[in-house]
Amino acid sequence: MKQPVVKKQRTLAAETWRRFKKNKLALTGMIVILTLVVIALSTMVIDFVTDKAIYNDYVIKQNLRMRLQGPSREHIFGLDEFGRDIFMRMIWAVRYSLFMGTIAIALSTILGGLLGAVAGYYGKISDNIIMRFMDVLLAIPSMLLATAIVAALGTSLTNVLIAIAISYVPTYARTVRASVLTIKDQEFIEAARAMGASDVRIIFKYILPNSMAPLIVQATLGVAGAILSIAGLSFLGLGIQPPTPEWGSMLSSARAYIREGWHITVIPGLGIMITILSLNVMGDGLRDALDPRLKN
Amino acid sequence: MQNPDDILSIEDLTIHYETDEGSVHALNEVSLAMKRGETLGLVGETGAGKTTLARGILRLVPSPPGVIKQGSVFFEGQDLLSLSESKMRSIRGSRISMIFQDPMTSLNPVMTVGEQIQEVVEAHNRDLRQDEIIRQANAMLEMVGIPAERSHEYPHQFSGGMKQRVIIAIALACNPVLLIADEPTTALDVTIQAQVLDMITALKKRLNTAMLLITHDLGVVAQNCDRVAIMYAGQIIELGNLDDIFKRPTHPYTRGLLGSIPSLTKDVKRLSPIKGLMPDPTDLPPGCKFAPRCRFVTEACERAMPEPTHLSETHQVRCILAEAEVRNG
């Protein structure tokens, strides 16, 4: 037999990236998100190196004489209701808004995805048990559920994460279950079974990759929602506690001063908006790039 | 009953689909044996139970509603119906493979064709190194006439005929003893049909694989098979080698089938189709299943199903007329 010539196989990541970078909007979104990630990481490094000196002096130190001062050359985003530099607070807040939102959604995507896949694939009793439980969770408004969980577990960063992750699980479980149901009866699943693939292999290599697209979009949208939920919890005093900066809590505490200084509401609002918009366009681009059927 | 030469012997296999509307008698006491390397054509109209039989062998009958009522499937000396699920899994794809009807939907759309062949090699050879798996998969691809450079492409980049070749490569990757081909060419156009069938036949000769070829095209059977089984309403009503079936068809249904093929050499004004439809599988007639459509029907036909009669060593038929003929010599 002729020895076949093997052309180098492009990995999935390389292939995805090749297609992703053609979408300029999605690329812009990703650059924004990456910039925010770099900012978040560098503030963490600065805190570590300076032992929070900069944080204490510039981010949380109040200066009531200068309160609500508009944007100027020294303070490009102006000062807030306690005379703190909004630019510095915005930068230091990135880590909470972005990382917590991402981690919470990552947790609920994994948990929800697995539950949905098991429910959809095995059907019958397991489907009923899992999905009815999800329905119970869905019946409670997610904000209320998160509030209840934090109230029960106590106020802390981890508990806020857990609360938000749990309140988003049903959405992902339903999304994945729906796409598993449409995929599991297709002929290639049966063909996989006929070639001796086990259930686990079928779920992870055949069904989940085929149901990735809706999940990715849902997850990027979810991060945006989670950022808002964290903000909401912070507003209720259950999330991130002042004076720690967080976009959502900055926004809600600024509401009272909207007549005196427009900038203190607009800037955190813009921050949230730009982050969420970037996440959405990036998610869209990622979905298209990950789907080999939409190739070229 | 078991013959040591047989790699596969099915005895009295009965499969019903239990639905709300009643139980569908898809397969009724089917017995069949296959030897190493031979090609058996399974012919019958839609709903005759051909696919159920194929799935029954691999134990892939969807359950519920499918229930295997009775019977046994001996493959290389062990009863497949009593094996554990994990043992069965190790047989599927490595000892017995199956090719599905529609190449458009039987490949995973998000996995490259190379990876899909590697999948089956990997699933059945756990201790093989990765580069060895890739080499073997690429060799399979070359064997079905697709350049190995295309192994990193996705199914949607292939034409229907090429996809069917990939599926054949997957089916033959582990060198199976038995290949079940469920209408492998129905979804392809005629020229590609011939190519694909020629290739399957050549490869199975080379690998000495037995093949169960399910089709409703008697022309395909005449070209590719050693023996033919004619199925009607979940039963094998006539079984024989090519000569038996094409030169000496005995069962009225087989004759009807052959009579409804247009001939190039004979000048026939009108084809003679078989009148009527297949009986409702939830409510089969008590006697011969073909009786309601048969031209030679007698009272005895409607009373009891005739047992298989051996007309010769290779030829057997389930018909009361044949029984009488044999008795009278």
Side-chain angles (χ1 to χ4, degrees):
Chain A
M1 198 185 300
K2 194 175 119 228
Q3 198 61 27
V5 201
V6 185
K7 191 166 144 189
K8 197 170 153 269
Q9 285 193 9
R10 253 185 289 196
T11 61
L12 182 67
E15 189 67 18
T16 307
W17 171 239
R18 188 182 69 80
R19 274 177 279 149
F20 183 81
K21 67 185 177 190
K22 285 186 188 161
N23 185 341
K24 296 300 171 223
L25 192 62
L27 203 61
T28 317
M30 196 174 85
I31 290 168
V32 172
I33 299 299
L34 283 182
T35 315
L36 289 175
V37 169
V38 169
I39 289 173
L41 289 176
S42 36
T43 58
M44 287 162 102
V45 171
I46 291 171
D47 273 355
F48 182 72
V49 171
T50 63
D51 199 19
K52 290 204 166 182
I54 290 183
Y55 177 73
N56 288 329
D57 288 348
Y58 295 94
V59 180
I60 58 170
K61 196 174 180 192
Q62 302 185 356
N63 185 354
L64 289 174
R65 268 185 310 148
M66 307 261 283
R67 66 197 288 262
L68 296 173
Q69 201 183 72
S72 64
R73 191 164 296 180
E74 295 122 77
H75 309 287
I76 54 166
F77 287 168
L79 301 173
D80 71 0
E81 73 271 26
F82 295 111
R84 296 172 295 201
D85 186 293
I86 294 181
F87 178 72
M88 292 300 275
R89 287 182 66 78
M90 286 293 288
I91 283 182
W92 250 261
V94 171
R95 68 172 86 155
Y96 298 109
S97 300
L98 195 63
F99 286 178
M100 284 187 54
T102 314
I103 293 170
I105 292 304
L107 285 179
S108 51
T109 308
I110 294 169
L111 193 60
L114 283 178
L115 286 173
V118 169
Y121 185 74
Y122 290 102
K124 285 176 284 195
I125 299 171
S126 46
D127 186 23
N128 262 322
I129 293 175
I130 294 174
M131 292 325 285
R132 291 305 78 75
F133 183 62
M134 292 295 126
D135 286 346
V136 169
L137 284 184
L138 263 185
I140 309 167
S142 63
M143 201 58 211
L144 208 58
L145 183 64
T147 314
I149 295 171
V150 176
L153 296 179
T155 314
S156 81
L157 277 184
T158 351
N159 289 345
V160 171
L161 267 182
I162 293 172
I164 290 174
I166 290 178
S167 62
Y168 276 89
V169 162
T171 326
Y172 297 103
R174 294 201 82 87
T175 312
V176 172
R177 176 177 172 272
S179 46
V180 168
L181 283 182
T182 60
I183 289 160
K184 78 163 182 178
D185 285 329
Q186 289 191 23
E187 210 168 27
F188 68 87
I189 301 297
E190 205 185 357
R193 205 167 287 135
M195 61 146 242
S198 60
D199 283 352
V200 175
R201 189 181 272 268
I202 288 176
I203 290 180
F204 281 100
K205 295 202 108 169
Y206 291 79
I207 288 179
L208 280 182
N210 274 292
S211 43
M212 236 28 205
L215 194 62
I216 286 171
V217 177
Q218 192 88 50
T220 43
L221 288 169
V223 173
I227 291 177
L228 290 177
S229 298
I230 295 170
L233 285 178
S234 306
F235 178 67
L236 293 174
L238 292 168
I240 288 144
Q241 301 298 312
T244 311
E246 199 275 329
W247 292 352
S249 63
M250 285 166 74
L251 181 67
S252 31
S253 61
R255 284 186 327 153
Y257 304 93
I258 195 160
R259 285 163 194 267
E260 287 94 53
W262 58 272
H263 60 283
I264 65 167
T265 43
V266 167
I267 285 165
L270 269 180
I272 295 177
M273 195 194 88
I274 291 172
T275 312
I276 290 170
L277 185 67
S278 307
L279 279 168
N280 285 355
V281 292
M282 185 176 94
D284 263 356
L286 208 57
R287 178 202 52 194
D288 292 349
L290 272 173
D291 191 343
R293 283 165 295 190
L294 298 173
K295 217 170 187 181
N296 303 319
Chain B
M1 271 288 282
Q2 249 191 289
N3 188 329
D5 291 347
D6 295 340
I7 50 157
L8 177 77
S9 96
I10 303 170
E11 275 156 38
D12 292 335
L13 188 62
T14 303
I15 297 179
H16 291 179
Y17 293 108
E18 310 282 4
T19 65
D20 293 341
E21 282 81 44
S23 122
V24 177
H25 297 234
L27 218 55
N28 305 307
E29 299 181 16
V30 168
S31 299
L32 192 65
M34 285 183 73
K35 288 187 183 51
R36 196 170 290 275
E38 81 168 340
T39 304
L40 177 69
L42 194 58
V43 185
E45 58 195 284
T46 309
K50 298 170 301 206
T51 303
T52 304
L53 176 58
R55 293 201 177 151
I57 296 172
L58 275 174
R59 254 176 53 193
L60 284 176
V61 180
S63 170
V67 186
I68 299 177
K69 284 281 181 192
Q70 58 158 321
S72 54
V73 178
F74 280 95
F75 174 73
E76 294 186 315
Q78 46 187 344
D79 187 0
L80 295 186
L81 299 185
S82 60
L83 284 185
S84 71
E85 185 55 34
S86 70
K87 278 248 179 64
M88 196 60 222
R89 239 183 357 245
S90 68
I91 287 177
R92 287 183 201 137
S94 77
R95 310 297 294 158
I96 307 178
S97 302
M98 185 155 173
I99 299 176
F100 285 87
Q101 185 171 348
D102 190 357
M104 305 300 164
T105 55
S106 352
L107 288 171
N108 184 351
V110 299
M111 215 189 258
T112 65
V113 296
E115 281 168 344
Q116 301 197 42
I117 305 176
Q118 288 159 30
E119 272 278 299
V120 62
V121 178
E122 192 192 323
H124 296 290
N125 303 284
R126 284 297 160 104
D127 38 321
L128 224 51
R129 287 215 324 277
Q130 190 61 31
D131 55 331
E132 186 60 25
I133 292 173
I134 293 176
R135 202 192 58 75
Q136 210 168 316
N138 286 330
M140 274 320 292
L141 215 50
E142 294 266 322
M143 198 158 96
V144 295
I146 296 173
E149 299 93 79
R150 298 198 65 181
S151 68
H152 65 278
E153 291 185 13
Y154 289 91
H156 70 96
Q157 291 166 301
F158 287 80
S159 70
M162 298 270 273
K163 276 186 215 172
Q164 195 60 299
R165 285 166 193 245
V166 173
I167 291 165
I168 293 165
I170 292 174
L172 294 177
C174 291
N175 207 347
V177 178
L178 174 63
L179 176 66
I180 300 171
D182 187 0
E183 309 201 19
T185 56
T186 311
L188 304 174
D189 64 66
V190 185
T191 43
I192 305 297
Q193 244 179 49
Q195 276 180 25
V196 167
L197 279 171
D198 286 349
M199 198 187 68
I200 297 182
T201 312
L203 287 179
K204 72 164 278 288
K205 280 221 178 76
R206 184 150 112 206
L207 304 171
N208 196 23
T209 308
M211 173 159 76
L212 182 63
L213 179 64
I214 299 174
T215 179
H216 45 239
D217 186 340
L218 284 166
V220 166
V221 170
Q223 268 172 27
N224 297 285
C225 299
D226 306 315
R227 289 199 302 145
V228 192
I230 311 279
M231 272 193 100
Y232 186 81
Q235 280 181 331
I236 291 179
I237 50 141
E238 188 158 6
L239 174 70
N241 59 30
L242 278 185
D243 278 354
D244 294 333
I245 300 293
F246 285 93
K247 300 241 171 78
R248 295 179 292 276
T250 308
H251 198 284
Y253 178 66
T254 316
R255 286 198 227 164
L257 275 187
L258 292 167
S260 44
I261 305 172
S263 164
L264 283 177
T265 49
K266 280 183 219 138
D267 187 22
V268 183
K269 282 252 162 51
R270 223 170 228 289
L271 294 173
S272 51
I274 309 171
K275 290 204 170 57
L277 290 172
M278 262 227 308
D280 178 1
T282 55
D283 184 24
L284 289 176
C288 175
K289 310 292 179 259
F290 187 62
R293 298 169 75 182
C294 187
R295 280 187 295 159
F296 312 103
V297 64
T298 64
E299 228 180 287
C301 294
E302 278 158 5
R303 251 181 281 127
M305 184 64 210
E307 286 303 305
T309 315
H310 290 264
L311 297 176
S312 70
E313 202 150 304
T314 53
H315 195 179
Q316 68 178 58
V317 65
R318 276 188 173 213
C319 179
I320 202 161
L321 292 176
E323 252 172 60
E325 218 171 278
V326 168
R327 218 177 307 123
N328 302 335

